[in-house]
Amino acid sequence: MSRKKINGYESLYAGSRWQRFYPDVYSRTTQTWQTRTGRRNYEFSTFQNLLGLNTSFDDLHKSDGDSPYLRNVRYMGEKQEIQRAQVTSRNGAELLGIKGFDVIAAPKAEYYVDMWEGRALEIDLPKRDTLLIGGAINVRNIEGAQGRLRIFLREPGKREICDANIDLSIVNNTKYDKRVFRFINPINLKNGATLRFEIEGDMAPDDCGNYKQPRKIRIQTSGQGNHRAADFTRPNTEECMREIPYDWKEEPAIICFEQHTCKETPMLKGVQVCTDEGKFLVFPIKNTDGITLWRFNVETKEYKEIDTSAAPVDSRATAVRFAQGLNKLYFVDGYSYLQRIDLSSWKSEIALADPNNIDVEGVTPQDLQAQKGASLILRIRQRIYLSGFAEDPNFVQYSILNSLTGDPDHPSENAGVQYDQFSDTSWFYSPDKSPKDSVCGPITALEQFEDNLIIFRKDGSSVRTIGSEFSAPSM
């Protein structure tokens, strides 16, 4: 696609220009805007600005924070020593994955507070009818601290749900830098929120005999309000330091935190479905009232909300996953019973069996209902597989095939396929041993490879053979 320049001085490929045209979808991931010309002329200087996911070839070479077994990656420069899979950095994704945001200005900066590795700061945010997706602070690296400044996000009285990072190596040491960061998971401010600031990576924890004073950074504060501060340490591998827990104390002045909020933001995970009306994209949206499901007609480019009044998505969900079958779109959210969307009426409902499709006398639809709380769903051939149960993390349940196949002249609508029926024998554990012995390795993903169900766990994986069309899976 070619466009004319706005004026003779503007670069045709300047990233800042695209950001002005499309502010809701364009994101920069480095400190300076990149151009195609710039990447050709300054390729190696560009490489050192890129952030990515550190990978390794196997567990023996894996360090903390690395991901193993990624093959399709490359070194990002001739002098790069770390193998990386390129991803968008959190602190660089200013406009990624949102439909625009509102800015709540920070209090006027009048003073400052110093912090270092071993000194944590904490502030509370007031209640608002909106979602917090990120923010910005003014920080100055006065003593050249290394590592990163981590900003933890949580609801008051609960554990952290995610954190954002600021790379201290690129923070100015002579003047304040406005550093923007984005949280992977937004939080509803209806109950307020708490932010905790910590420095990590400035000091080597095992240099016990060569102890150095941690280097300071400076954050702007206002003359009003209070923040909390605590000194802490973490134990190291040589055990030369004893862990000191947080001991929060009130201190004057509040950190000047610019809040970035929005009314709604996309979530994991959308899916493409094909219906008699055409091709649609179905995806969840998180807003201040909860989570809604939307459909996008690929041909007409129209957005419409799906009616989920009868079976809504749980507001606590962090992802919604889907599987299509028999003109229904089944979905799980990690908290609710298995639910489905009728692709003709576009209305949701609890996935209960039709009594006419049950081939055992005395059995009710509730008796064949799937276990509550699945967060993973996958359809392979004529069965739906469910897993990711918070209360039973190694449990896998699959739908049954019954005898109601009809006859050649009058075949049944489902031909024995019952995506909404789960018996008391259609389940297994991965690994195949006592759940108490495998609770530390919960199931994290389900995937299909040829005729096999691949079950990924935190500490390994299992392979389940699907077999023939109407046979039960086997390990």
Side-chain angles (χ1 to χ4, degrees), residues 36-102:
R36 297 184 188 180
T37 303
R39 286 187 64 89
R40 287 197 297 269
N41 294 340
Y42 305 104
E43 191 71 24
F44 293 115
S45 64
T46 302
F47 276 138
Q48 68 183 3
N49 288 331
L50 291 174
L51 299 177
L53 178 66
N54 293 351
T55 68
S56 62
F57 293 106
D58 52 44
D59 280 330
L60 295 177
H61 296 85
K62 187 172 75 70
S63 303
D64 289 341
D66 289 357
S67 292
Y69 313 129
L70 291 182
R71 297 290 191 267
N72 297 322
V73 295
R74 63 180 181 179
Y75 293 99
M76 299 170 69
E78 288 182 344
K79 298 180 180 180
Q80 188 77 24
E81 297 179 353
I82 301 175
Q83 178 183 252
R84 284 183 169 181
Q86 185 176 337
V87 296
T88 302
S89 62
R90 297 184 193 180
N91 59 323
E94 295 190 13
L95 298 168
L96 188 63
I98 59 173
K99 299 168 66 176
F101 60 86
D102 300 317

Side-chain angles (χ1 to χ4, degrees), residues 36 86 97 108 113 118 137 160 163 184 191 208 226 233 370 448:
R36 297 184 188 180
Q86 185 176 337
K108 181 180 178 181
V113 61
I137 59 173
E160 291 80 8
D163 67 284
I184 289 180
N191 297 318
C208 304
N226 295 293
T233 62
Q448 178 182 5

Side-chain angles (χ1 to χ4, degrees), residues 321-332 337-341 351 368-371 374-387 389 395-401 416-423 426-428 446 448 453 466 469 471 473:
R321 295 179 171 89
F322 303 88
Q324 183 180 357
L326 294 175
N327 202 38
K328 300 288 194 299
L329 185 61
Y330 294 82
F331 65 92
V332 295
Y337 284 106
L338 177 64
Q339 301 176 106
R340 64 191 175 200
I341 300 169
L368 297 175
Q369 190 173 11
Q371 181 165 310
S375 61
L376 303 173
I377 184 171
L378 178 68
R379 175 193 163 189
I380 303 180
R381 292 193 176 182
Q382 308 303 331
R383 297 182 189 270
I384 280 181
Y385 293 82
L386 303 176
S387 191
F389 300 93
F395 181 70
V396 180
Q397 192 174 27
Y398 56 90
S399 61
I400 66 172
L401 304 171
V417 178
Q418 308 294 344
Y419 292 132
D420 47 23
Q421 296 186 27
F422 298 79
S423 73
S426 62
W427 57 269
F428 59 87
L446 302 176
Q448 178 182 5
L453 169 65
I466 302 304
E469 192 82 359
S471 63

Side-chain angles (χ1 to χ4, degrees), residues 218-391:
R218 184 164 289 174
I219 301 176
Q220 285 189 329
T221 63
S222 73
Q224 301 177 350
N226 295 293
H227 69 273
R228 294 182 294 276
D231 294 325
F232 69 95
T233 62
R234 297 189 182 94
N236 53 37
T237 56
E238 300 294 338
E239 298 182 355
C240 64
M241 289 195 302
R242 226 167 31 92
E243 183 174 12
I244 300 176
Y246 295 99
D247 183 16
W248 297 105
K249 296 180 180 179
E250 293 282 340
E251 294 191 355
I254 189 170
I255 293 175
C256 296
F257 173 60
E258 178 183 281
Q259 300 180 45
H260 293 172
T261 65
C262 67
K263 291 295 183 180
E264 56 185 33
T265 183
M267 296 175 55
L268 294 174
K269 175 181 180 183
V271 65
Q272 178 178 290
V273 299
C274 292
T275 71
D276 295 337
E277 302 176 56
K279 186 184 296 183
F280 289 84
L281 300 179
V282 177
F283 53 92
I285 292 288
K286 188 179 184 68
N287 53 48
T288 54
D289 297 324
I291 298 172
T292 56
L293 298 180
W294 290 74
R295 71 182 193 268
F296 171 72
N297 191 313
V298 176
E299 297 176 0
T300 63
K301 312 300 181 185
E302 292 180 328
Y303 289 91
K304 288 186 179 180
E305 185 176 351
I306 297 172
D307 183 358
T308 58
S309 56
V313 179
D314 193 286
S315 61
R316 297 168 293 176
T318 58
V320 183
R321 295 179 171 89
F322 303 88
Q324 183 180 357
L326 294 175
N327 202 38
K328 300 288 194 299
L329 185 61
Y330 294 82
F331 65 92
V332 295
D333 59 23
Y335 295 91
S336 309
Y337 284 106
L338 177 64
Q339 301 176 106
R340 64 191 175 200
I341 300 169
D342 188 310
L343 296 180
S344 299
S345 64
W346 291 104
K347 294 182 178 181
S348 68
E349 60 185 5
I350 301 295
L352 284 174
D354 184 338
N356 296 322
N357 290 332
I358 299 176
D359 63 350
V360 179
E361 292 186 7
V363 176
T364 67
Q366 288 74 19
D367 295 333
L368 297 175
Q369 190 173 11
Q371 181 165 310
K372 186 178 182 179
S375 61
L376 303 173
I377 184 171
L378 178 68
R379 175 193 163 189
I380 303 180
R381 292 193 176 182
Q382 308 303 331
R383 297 182 189 270
I384 280 181
Y385 293 82
L386 303 176
S387 191
F389 300 93
E391 301 298 326

Side-chain angles (χ1 to χ4, degrees), residues 378 380 385 387 393-396 428-433 438 441-449 451-466 473-475:
L378 178 68
I380 303 180
Y385 293 82
S387 191
N394 297 91
F395 181 70
V396 180
F428 59 87
Y429 278 94
S430 174
D432 189 15
K433 59 182 180 181
S438 56
I443 294 173
T444 56
L446 302 176
E447 192 54 74
Q448 178 182 5
F449 178 71
D451 288 335
N452 300 309
L453 169 65
I454 311 299
I455 304 161
F456 293 94
R457 302 189 306 273
K458 189 175 181 179
D459 61 351
S461 60
S462 299
V463 178
R464 197 93 176 176
T465 302
I466 302 304
S474 60
M475 189 70 75

Side-chain angles (χ1 to χ4, degrees), residues 4-251:
K4 293 182 179 180
K5 297 182 180 181
I6 301 301
N7 55 60
Y9 303 101
E10 187 169 24
S11 171
L12 178 62
Y13 300 112
S16 57
R17 176 173 179 268
W18 291 112
Q19 193 273 336
R20 290 197 303 274
F21 282 165
Y22 309 106
D24 294 339
V25 298
Y26 193 86
S27 171
R28 68 177 180 186
T29 58
T30 57
Q31 187 64 15
T32 57
W33 290 104
Q34 294 186 26
T35 66
R36 297 184 188 180
T37 303
R39 286 187 64 89
R40 287 197 297 269
N41 294 340
Y42 305 104
E43 191 71 24
F44 293 115
S45 64
T46 302
F47 276 138
Q48 68 183 3
N49 288 331
L50 291 174
L51 299 177
L53 178 66
N54 293 351
T55 68
S56 62
F57 293 106
D58 52 44
D59 280 330
L60 295 177
H61 296 85
K62 187 172 75 70
S63 303
D64 289 341
D66 289 357
S67 292
Y69 313 129
L70 291 182
R71 297 290 191 267
N72 297 322
V73 295
R74 63 180 181 179
Y75 293 99
M76 299 170 69
E78 288 182 344
K79 298 180 180 180
Q80 188 77 24
E81 297 179 353
I82 301 175
Q83 178 183 252
R84 284 183 169 181
Q86 185 176 337
V87 296
T88 302
S89 62
R90 297 184 193 180
N91 59 323
E94 295 190 13
L95 298 168
L96 188 63
I98 59 173
K99 299 168 66 176
F101 60 86
D102 300 317
V103 175
I104 300 176
K108 181 180 178 181
E110 298 176 291
Y111 302 100
Y112 61 82
V113 61
D114 290 343
M115 66 175 298
W116 52 90
E117 185 165 9
R119 162 62 63 100
L121 305 179
E122 199 171 69
I123 60 173
D124 294 324
L125 301 181
K127 299 178 182 179
R128 297 182 187 275
D129 185 24
T130 187
L131 297 172
L132 179 71
I133 61 172
I137 59 173
N138 293 322
V139 59
R140 178 182 166 194
N141 195 351
I142 58 175
E143 295 184 354
Q146 297 298 306
R148 55 182 174 153
L149 174 61
R150 301 183 68 183
I151 303 98
F152 295 89
L153 174 66
R154 65 178 174 87
E155 290 188 30
K158 298 183 179 180
R159 60 175 297 178
E160 291 80 8
I161 62 171
C162 66
D163 67 284
N165 296 272
I166 294 176
D167 184 358
L168 293 177
S169 65
I170 59 176
V171 174
N172 202 302
N173 64 349
T174 59
K175 62 180 182 180
Y176 285 102
D177 270 351
K178 181 179 180 179
R179 305 303 302 179
V180 177
F181 52 88
R182 182 71 63 245
F183 295 114
I184 289 180
N185 293 322
I187 192 172
N188 195 328
L189 289 177
K190 64 180 181 180
N191 297 318
T194 298
L195 298 181
R196 189 176 83 247
F197 300 80
E198 290 185 10
I199 294 177
E200 184 178 276
D202 181 44
M203 298 180 61
D206 297 327
D207 291 342
C208 304
N210 188 24
Y211 180 77
K212 297 180 180 179
Q213 186 71 20
R215 290 167 285 197
K216 297 179 180 179
I217 67 170
R218 184 164 289 174
I219 301 176
Q220 285 189 329
T221 63
S222 73
Q224 301 177 350
N226 295 293
H227 69 273
R228 294 182 294 276
D231 294 325
F232 69 95
T233 62
R234 297 189 182 94
N236 53 37
T237 56
E238 300 294 338
E239 298 182 355
C240 64
M241 289 195 302
R242 226 167 31 92
E243 183 174 12
I244 300 176
Y246 295 99
D247 183 16
W248 297 105
K249 296 180 180 179
E250 293 282 340
E251 294 191 355

